[in-house]
Amino acid sequence: MSNTISYKLKKRTFADTVISCVICVAALAASVWQFVCFLNGEGKPFITNAVYNFIIFAELGLLSLILLEIRKTGKPFSKKIITKLRIMAVILFVGGLMPSYTEIGADAQTEMVSFTFDAKNMLIIFIGVIIGIISEVFVYGLSLQEDNDLIA
């Protein structure tokens, strides 16, 4: 890959890397805050929110690592990036299987709990599957890149 293309790629990914790192830290802080609220007995839905925020943290952390890898090597196709994409897909797929937790108070003495599996869960699973498919496209891209490197 020429230096000009590599420089342009690094320049384009700088803002993306910074933004994903900042949001990643914010998601971790939100996850910790939600977990502390749950431990303080403020409500059981806080644990669901903590887990979802931790999933966001993990996804953005992996995205940040992918962008840093691209900035470091100048190549978007590598085994490390493919592995990170697959981990992202698995995390989203498993996170999508987690039902939402809702408390329903019928009256003062009866407490009902509802675990729902809705369109939000299906969307999360679907996005995980899409990222998994994209990782397979990256496998093909890596193969093409290796062939191109042998020719050049």
Side-chain angles (χ1 to χ4, degrees), residues 5 16 41 49 53 88 102 128 140 146:
I5 294 172
D16 297 334
N49 294 338
N53 281 320
M88 287 175 72
T102 310
Y140 182 68
E146 289 171 348

Short mmCIF file of all heavy atoms in Angstrom, two decimals, residues 5 16 41 49 53 88 102 128 140 146:
data_model
loop_
_atom_site.label_atom_id
_atom_site.label_comp_id
_atom_site.label_asym_id
_atom_site.label_seq_id
_atom_site.Cartn_x
_atom_site.Cartn_y
_atom_site.Cartn_z
N ILE A 5 -1.84 6.60 0.26
CA ILE A 5 -3.09 5.93 0.62
C ILE A 5 -3.09 5.64 2.12
O ILE A 5 -4.10 5.85 2.80
CB ILE A 5 -3.28 4.65 -0.20
CG1 ILE A 5 -3.48 4.99 -1.68
CG2 ILE A 5 -4.49 3.86 0.31
CD1 ILE A 5 -3.50 3.79 -2.59
N ASP A 16 -12.71 9.09 13.93
CA ASP A 16 -13.51 7.92 14.30
C ASP A 16 -12.93 7.23 15.54
O ASP A 16 -13.67 6.81 16.42
CB ASP A 16 -13.57 6.92 13.15
CG ASP A 16 -14.24 7.48 11.91
OD1 ASP A 16 -15.07 8.40 12.07
OD2 ASP A 16 -13.93 7.02 10.81
N GLY A 41 -29.88 -0.99 45.73
CA GLY A 41 -31.28 -1.38 45.87
C GLY A 41 -32.27 -0.43 45.21
O GLY A 41 -33.44 -0.39 45.59
N ASN A 49 -29.81 -2.58 32.45
CA ASN A 49 -29.17 -1.43 31.82
C ASN A 49 -27.65 -1.50 31.95
O ASN A 49 -26.92 -1.12 31.04
CB ASN A 49 -29.70 -0.13 32.43
CG ASN A 49 -31.14 0.10 32.12
OD1 ASN A 49 -31.68 -0.44 31.16
ND2 ASN A 49 -31.81 0.90 32.94
N ASN A 53 -25.15 -1.51 28.82
CA ASN A 53 -24.08 -0.51 28.72
C ASN A 53 -22.72 -1.18 28.64
O ASN A 53 -21.82 -0.68 27.95
CB ASN A 53 -24.12 0.45 29.91
CG ASN A 53 -25.18 1.51 29.74
OD1 ASN A 53 -25.37 2.03 28.66
ND2 ASN A 53 -25.87 1.84 30.81
N MET A 88 -16.99 -9.22 18.21
CA MET A 88 -18.09 -8.25 18.24
C MET A 88 -19.41 -8.92 17.87
O MET A 88 -20.45 -8.67 18.51
CB MET A 88 -17.81 -7.08 17.27
CG MET A 88 -16.75 -6.13 17.73
SD MET A 88 -16.36 -4.87 16.49
CE MET A 88 -17.81 -3.85 16.58
N THR A 102 -38.66 -6.07 33.56
CA THR A 102 -39.63 -5.05 33.91
C THR A 102 -40.41 -5.49 35.13
O THR A 102 -40.84 -6.64 35.21
CB THR A 102 -40.63 -4.81 32.74
OG1 THR A 102 -39.88 -4.61 31.54
CG2 THR A 102 -41.50 -3.62 33.00
N GLY A 128 -25.65 -8.40 15.08
CA GLY A 128 -24.57 -9.34 15.35
C GLY A 128 -24.31 -10.26 14.17
O GLY A 128 -23.16 -10.53 13.81
N TYR A 140 -12.14 -12.78 2.98
CA TYR A 140 -11.92 -12.74 1.53
C TYR A 140 -11.01 -11.56 1.17
O TYR A 140 -10.11 -11.69 0.34
CB TYR A 140 -13.25 -12.66 0.79
CG TYR A 140 -13.11 -12.67 -0.70
CD1 TYR A 140 -12.67 -13.80 -1.39
CD2 TYR A 140 -13.42 -11.53 -1.45
CE1 TYR A 140 -12.52 -13.80 -2.75
CE2 TYR A 140 -13.29 -11.53 -2.82
CZ TYR A 140 -12.83 -12.67 -3.47
OH TYR A 140 -12.69 -12.66 -4.83
N GLU A 146 -3.38 -10.46 0.45
CA GLU A 146 -2.17 -11.27 0.44
C GLU A 146 -1.74 -11.62 -0.97
O GLU A 146 -0.55 -11.61 -1.29
CB GLU A 146 -2.40 -12.54 1.27
CG GLU A 146 -2.48 -12.28 2.76
CD GLU A 146 -2.92 -13.49 3.57
OE1 GLU A 146 -3.39 -14.49 2.96
OE2 GLU A 146 -2.79 -13.44 4.80
#
